[in-house]
Structure formats: C-alpha cells, structure tokens
Amino acid sequence: MFKSHFGETVIVVLSLVMGFIMSLAVVFVDHLALNFSNVFKIWAMVTLVILLVSILIPYKEWSGKLTGMFIREEGSIAYKLVENIVPSLILNTCNTAIVSAANIFYNETIPAGLQMEEWVHGFIHDWPITFVISYFAAFLAEAAGKWAAKKYCR
C-alpha cells in the first residue's frame, strides 16, 4: 500500500467507496433501520477494516501471482474477473468477522452466553451475500480509486 502515492490514493478511495456500498448492503441484508447513524457506523468500521487489511496483507500481489498462473493476458476481462476473487475473499472475510463481532460481542442486549452463537450465525448468514456484493462493488470502487489517483497524483 505504501509503495506509491498512486497506490495509497487508490486504496483510500477504494476503502471509502467499498465502505459506503457495503454499509448499505449490510443494512439491507441484516434488516437494520436505514438511517444515518447505522450507515455511518458500519461505513466507518468497514472502511477502517479495509485500510488496516490493505496495510497488513499484500492481497493484491497474491491475487496477481495466482491469477497469472491461470491466465496469461494481464489486461483481459477474464484476468480482471479472476484477479478480483482473492481480494474480495480476504476483505469480505475480515469485514464480516470484525464488523459482526463489533456489533455482537459485549452487546448488553444479547446475553453473554449467546453472543458467540449469534456471531457464528450472523457470519454464516452474511458472508456469502456480502461476498457477492463486495466482489461486484470492488470493480466500481477500484475504478473510482484509479480515477482519483490519476487526477490528483503526479
């Protein structure tokens, strides 16, 4: 992430866009009230998780290497479709685990003995749905990040 201003800009904008899209998705998937408070809280958590994971895990490099083993044409549509799988898997798994945990653990309205069960149930319910949404949303978020980086990084 810190190798260039261009890369940093892409990740920051991607995180903000993905955070917003995923916050709306989670509100609808989990049948939460659609209000500023819920959207902002989830948006902030998702954005922070994406930024932290992007700093700690070189998922883009891993994805490029893995995709290159199967598809040789780097700019092709097939390459782009396959290359997006690993980042979506990693980011969605981290987001689903952490955001669910932040909302369930130490929540006074959920009895302490049921919190782990609620978290596992929520993770199993939300992960496949949010993976599909995050996979497709990542194309839009990455395009927004690249647009901003090309416009503002010199």
Side-chain angles (χ1 to χ4, degrees):
M1 174 179 167
F2 296 118
K3 293 181 181 178
S4 71
H5 291 295
F6 186 89
E8 290 176 20
T9 303
V10 170
I11 292 296
V12 168
V13 173
L14 178 139
S15 299
L16 290 168
V17 172
M18 282 295 293
F20 184 70
I21 293 169
M22 294 311 296
S23 68
L24 292 175
V26 168
V27 164
F28 288 109
V29 167
D30 289 340
H31 307 289
L32 303 173
L34 180 60
N35 59 48
F36 178 78
S37 180
N38 281 340
V39 172
F40 185 76
K41 178 180 76 167
I42 296 168
W43 183 10
M45 286 191 286
V46 171
T47 299
L48 179 62
V49 170
I50 292 172
L51 286 171
L52 292 174
V53 170
S54 297
I55 290 169
L56 299 173
I57 301 174
Y59 58 83
K60 195 71 171 166
E61 292 174 28
W62 295 349
S63 180
K65 289 178 184 176
L66 186 64
T67 304
M69 292 170 53
F70 301 104
I71 302 171
R72 299 286 179 214
E73 300 173 41
E74 196 166 314
S76 69
I77 292 174
Y79 187 92
K80 290 178 183 179
L81 291 173
V82 173
E83 184 185 35
N84 196 27
I85 294 172
V86 171
S88 293
L89 281 170
I90 291 171
L91 293 174
N92 186 63
T93 301
C94 291
N95 266 312
T96 304
I98 294 169
V99 173
S100 295
N103 287 317
I104 293 172
F105 294 130
Y106 306 107
N107 183 337
E108 302 87 30
T109 62
I110 302 172
L114 295 176
Q115 289 178 355
M116 181 60 82
E117 182 180 329
E118 285 290 321
W119 179 72
V120 170
H121 173 72
F123 187 91
I124 291 169
H125 174 266
D126 290 358
W127 190 90
I129 299 166
T130 56
F131 172 73
V132 171
I133 295 167
S134 70
Y135 175 80
F136 291 108
F139 292 107
L140 174 68
E142 185 176 18
K146 286 181 177 178
W147 175 83
K150 286 177 185 173
K151 184 170 181 166
Y152 297 108
C153 295
R154 298 189 196 279

